[in-house]
Amino acid sequence: MGKRTYKRLKGSQNMRQRLLLATLKSTPIIIEDIHTDDTLPGTKLKYKPGIIVGGSNLVHDCGVSRAIGYFLEPLILLGLFARKTLFIILKGITNDSKDPSVDTFRSTTFPMLKRFGVPSEGLKLEIKSRGVSPYGGGEVHLTVPTVQHLTATIWTDEGMVKRIRGEAFTTRVSVQLGNEMIYAAHGIFNRLLPDVYIASDYRKRSEAGNSSGYGISLVFETTSGCSISADTTVSYPRGEEADDIEGEDKKELLPAADIGEQIASVLLEEIEKGGVVDSTHQLVCMVLTSVLVNGLITGVCKFLCVLCPKDVSKARVGKLSPYGIETLRQIIDFLDVQFVIKPDPSTGTVILKCWGSGMKNLSRKTS
């Protein structure tokens, strides 16, 4: 076996994207100058991906600096190309205002995956307990099936909004706060369409995590099967925990009714941007499109590559977010997939299209 060449990168930016794409492409990387401004400049990471195994009996504590949603995004993409079905227990913060909530993954991400050929039978996310910042305490059970290959898709029809669904939750606070969020959101949506239903999930005791808070997740469902989502959470520590937070970190919470109105307005803004996915899901959509077209093979392959016929995928998105633009750059750098970007002035959206050769996931055993 010849010596493997490492792809050399610099800086700490886009670390998660780089590790994800390096693993999917089985590309060894070296990232230098990770902490250039710190007291330990020149910190370096050397990473050589192996086979994505998957499996069960896995548990990971996500900590409290980022929510579980931060880990779910790459974990789901990796799980699809694993050798075995992935079942993992994730512990930490289920809902916060920084990362997509676990509710958004269930209501929006999973339906999107089905468009790319991911079987719905084995795709599952159970919320066993909720946890909000700053002390978490939530737990979710994730199951991700493996795929032999993904399916190319032409996804440009946004459709018309047919209904709105959502879920409001509370942890260790009065359930009235959840009712106020629901009532306020209904006040905005009922003027636009009649089919609006927002469920409630009020957690207590061990199912309510370690901090008090409340939040809401909303999703527009369209006639063409698109799901556009928005969510938010507010939280604060309990009793004696509040005494440990001082200064700028100690701030008043917005009234629950204001939260309901604000997130309803955010969802309407997402609809106005256009596209078949919201801005939160641009990365997942782009990676899935490039994966199925470029033909990623996960891990170190022990079998001959089976080429699939050339195919094209196309998706309509709203205005590209800075995160989405950087994702395109990383995809070009790691996968050598060129996207054709065509603005549509009539709708204010952007058509993304790429072309290549598909290859199967050879890590998975075939029956």
Side-chain angles (χ1 to χ4, degrees), residues 59-343:
V59 180
H60 179 67
D61 189 339
C62 300
V64 293
S65 60
R66 298 300 294 259
I68 290 174
Y70 178 83
F71 299 85
L72 282 176
E73 190 175 66
L75 193 57
I76 290 172
L77 292 171
L78 292 173
L80 294 175
F81 290 90
R83 175 181 291 174
K84 304 175 183 177
T85 296
L86 173 67
F87 175 77
I88 184 170
I89 297 174
L90 300 172
K91 300 181 179 182
I93 296 173
T94 58
N95 302 81
D96 75 351
S97 58
K98 185 188 301 182
D99 299 304
S101 71
V102 292
D103 304 275
T104 293
F105 278 90
R106 289 200 305 187
S107 66
T108 307
T109 311
F110 284 5
M112 182 182 69
L113 292 174
K114 296 172 187 176
R115 282 188 171 269
F116 291 88
V118 178
S120 57
E121 296 78 16
L123 199 57
K124 193 174 182 181
L125 182 63
E126 295 181 278
I127 305 174
K128 296 297 184 180
S129 61
R130 288 192 183 269
V132 298
S133 62
Y135 301 110
E139 178 177 311
V140 301
H141 294 187
L142 172 69
T143 304
V144 181
T146 62
V147 294
Q148 196 66 31
H149 56 81
L150 296 175
T151 304
T153 184
I154 305 295
W155 195 11
T156 58
D157 182 12
E158 302 161 285
M160 302 294 290
V161 176
K162 67 175 181 179
R163 64 185 182 185
I164 299 173
R165 294 293 182 264
E167 188 167 36
F169 77 89
T170 61
T171 59
R172 300 185 182 278
V173 295
S174 170
V175 298
Q176 183 61 29
L177 296 174
N179 295 334
E180 290 176 7
M181 287 188 292
I182 294 174
Y183 182 80
H186 268 286
I188 292 179
F189 292 142
N190 285 343
R191 292 176 287 180
L192 304 175
L193 74 166
D195 193 355
V196 180
Y197 177 72
I198 304 174
S200 57
D201 182 21
Y202 303 147
R203 300 292 179 114
K204 297 179 180 180
R205 300 182 180 87
S206 62
E207 293 186 353
N210 301 325
S211 294
S212 306
Y214 48 89
I216 185 170
S217 174
L218 301 172
V219 57
F220 270 121
E221 298 177 9
T222 74
T223 53
S224 62
C226 301
S227 297
I228 308 297
S229 63
D231 63 67
T232 191
T233 300
V234 291
S235 59
Y236 52 92
R238 294 176 292 148
E240 67 278 2
E241 297 167 348
D243 298 332
D244 298 331
I245 299 179
E246 299 178 353
E248 295 181 357
D249 292 332
K250 193 171 185 177
K251 48 190 176 185
E252 293 295 324
L253 299 182
L254 285 174
D258 291 351
I259 293 295
E261 291 180 354
Q262 283 188 8
I263 197 61
S265 299
V266 170
L267 187 59
L268 292 175
E269 290 174 4
E270 285 287 349
I271 288 291
E272 186 180 10
K273 292 176 184 177
V276 297
V277 296
D278 53 63
S279 53
T280 301
H281 287 84
Q282 286 182 3
L283 178 141
V284 178
C285 185
M286 291 174 189
V287 172
L288 283 173
T289 303
S290 60
V291 165
L292 64 92
V293 173
N294 194 50
L296 297 181
I297 298 187
T298 59
V300 179
C301 300
K302 298 181 179 179
F303 309 98
L304 294 176
C305 301
V306 181
L307 295 175
C308 295
K310 289 185 177 181
D311 213 336
V312 65
S313 281
K314 185 191 298 185
R316 183 189 300 274
V317 299
K319 181 180 178 181
L320 290 173
S321 65
Y323 188 52
I325 293 172
E326 190 55 44
T327 299
L328 284 175
R329 294 187 180 129
Q330 297 297 328
I331 288 173
I332 293 171
D333 191 24
F334 276 89
L335 309 181
D336 197 25
V337 173
Q338 296 285 344
F339 277 83
V340 176
I341 304 175
K342 184 179 179 181

